[in-house]
Amino acid sequence: MELKWLKDFIALHESGSFSKAAEARFVTQPAFSRRIRSLENWLGVALVNRDSLPTTLTEEGRLFVDDAQRLCNEMDAIRARLQSRKNSHSLIFLAQHSTAVSFFPSWIQTLSPLVGDTLVKLVPGNIHTLNESFLAGSGDFMLTFGSQEFDNPQVKRTSLCIQVGTDTLVPVSAPDEYGYPLHTFAEGKSCRLLAFPDETYLGSLIKKSAIANIPGRYRFDLVCENEMAEGLKAMAKQGFGATWLPSSLIKQELAEQKLVILGAPFPTLELRILLYRNRHSTKPEVERFWQYLRELYGQE
């Protein structure tokens, strides 16, 4: 038995669709279906009518919904109580790799008078892993770039959110000896591109909103993928290819002309930086920090 199976089942009940529930739980639909089947095997009853469209629950499934929610709430409360003892006098931030490197250090420094002697813990990772950890109560806050992926009932039920900053994804390349980009689009020439993987938020955004809008007459070769923005920056500085990076991450490189910004047809993309707070946290330092941010940014 795994707690995530119960949360999967609740998401399926709320959305009424395997595909929507899988998206809300940040897993593929086949993996989500296997997890629901595992729950049914453990219980020894069918919870879902798979022959009907839209998806409906069996009588046993409808009876089990309240039990599943109660069990999840009880386990979350136990976990929160134990972690509050372990992590007292601390603020735990889960953050996407890019925001952890490019935004968090200077942001938390500006808030240092508020933080005081409180221990700040930063846990970087990819957004899907972080979201599951956040929903499980493993962090007080989650720092991410704005994404419609988080506009779902499960996230809204368990968290509060404010915008704490903005950034811009800018296309860059190392310069040649004359200061011109080493890699760019040109008629009859293929451009070397470095990219975030498609399954990451930035990778998906760049693919849909940047690469997809490049005119068809231009050709490119994807020569490297890396979910770490610092890794892509290092490769770009070495002249391995062109890429998109958060502007806050490359201020020094641009100032020193180790990287140069590319013009059309390379688009720039605006980013919102959001901070999610675990709605059910009882730690007083979390509440104080959040109330200060609400007053500072004037939103929730």
Side-chain angles (χ1 to χ4, degrees):
M1 179 61 194
E2 296 189 34
L3 184 61
K4 64 184 177 183
W5 298 348
L6 298 177
K7 295 185 177 183
D8 292 340
F9 178 65
I10 293 168
L12 178 61
H13 165 67
E14 292 176 342
S15 66
S17 163
F18 272 84
S19 60
K20 291 180 180 178
E23 183 178 356
R25 293 288 291 155
F26 298 92
V27 297
T28 63
Q29 186 170 336
F32 182 85
S33 298
R34 287 194 297 270
R35 279 154 51 160
I36 294 296
R37 183 73 73 180
S38 295
L39 176 61
E40 292 176 313
N41 290 339
W42 190 87
L43 291 170
V45 297
L47 301 174
V48 182
N49 291 314
R50 290 174 171 80
D51 297 328
S52 64
L53 288 176
T55 301
T56 59
L57 302 183
T58 63
E59 182 178 356
E60 290 80 6
R62 292 192 296 273
L63 292 172
F64 184 61
V65 168
D66 290 340
D67 290 328
Q69 186 65 71
R70 176 180 54 79
L71 288 169
C72 287
N73 291 342
E74 289 178 355
M75 291 302 297
D76 287 344
I78 292 170
R79 182 188 181 101
R81 186 168 65 250
L82 293 174
Q83 288 197 343
S84 66
R85 292 172 59 87
K86 173 186 174 183
N87 298 312
S88 60
H89 307 298
S90 67
L91 296 174
I92 304 174
F93 293 86
L94 311 178
Q96 283 173 289
H97 289 298
S98 297
T99 57
V101 173
S102 64
F103 178 79
F104 184 82
S106 59
W107 177 71
I108 201 67
Q109 175 63 27
T110 64
L111 300 172
S112 57
L114 174 68
V115 174
D117 295 331
T118 302
L119 176 64
V120 174
K121 297 183 180 181
L122 177 64
V123 183
N126 69 67
I127 193 57
H128 302 302
T129 301
L130 292 179
N131 182 67
E132 187 165 321
S133 297
F134 181 68
L135 291 177
S138 297
D140 301 314
F141 303 99
M142 182 169 63
L143 187 69
T144 76
F145 290 120
S147 170
Q148 292 182 343
E149 294 183 34
F150 298 107
D151 188 21
N152 67 67
Q154 190 171 20
V155 173
K156 291 179 179 178
R157 185 176 62 247
T158 59
S159 65
L160 303 169
C161 176
I162 56 176
Q163 181 175 333
V164 295
T166 60
D167 208 335
T168 306
L169 273 176
V170 294
V172 293
S173 166
D176 62 18
E177 58 184 314
Y178 302 106
Y180 295 104
L182 276 174
H183 303 281
T184 188
F185 287 115
E187 299 288 349
K189 180 182 177 182
S190 184
C191 179
R192 293 167 60 91
L193 289 183
L194 318 173
F196 296 93
D198 288 349
E199 61 269 20
T200 65
Y201 171 66
L202 292 182
S204 175
L205 177 66
I206 291 170
K207 182 178 181 180
K208 294 177 182 177
S209 302
I211 294 177
N213 294 325
I214 295 172
R217 66 180 182 275
Y218 295 118
R219 294 184 294 112
F220 64 88
D221 294 316
L222 183 61
V223 296
C224 178
E225 283 190 351
N226 192 331
E227 70 175 87
M228 303 289 289
E230 283 283 358
L232 290 180
K233 182 175 76 169
M235 296 290 285
K237 286 170 60 179
Q238 292 297 319
F240 204 69
T243 191
W244 279 264
L245 291 169
S247 61
S248 58
L249 184 65
I250 54 174
K251 289 180 179 179
Q252 184 174 347
E253 286 75 14
L254 293 175
E256 296 174 354
Q257 294 189 317
K258 294 179 179 179
L259 291 173
V260 292
I261 296 178
L262 300 168
F266 290 89
T268 60
L269 304 174
E270 299 301 316
L271 297 169
R272 295 183 304 139
I273 301 174
L274 304 180
L275 185 72
Y276 291 83
R277 175 246 171 114
N278 191 312
R279 185 187 293 269
H280 304 296
S281 175
T282 58
K283 294 164 61 175
E285 55 270 33
V286 169
E287 183 63 28
R288 287 195 300 269
F289 188 76
W290 186 256
Q291 292 304 323
Y292 177 84
L293 293 182
R294 286 186 61 192
E295 296 176 6
L296 178 64
Y297 295 105
Q299 55 173 309
E300 179 168 275

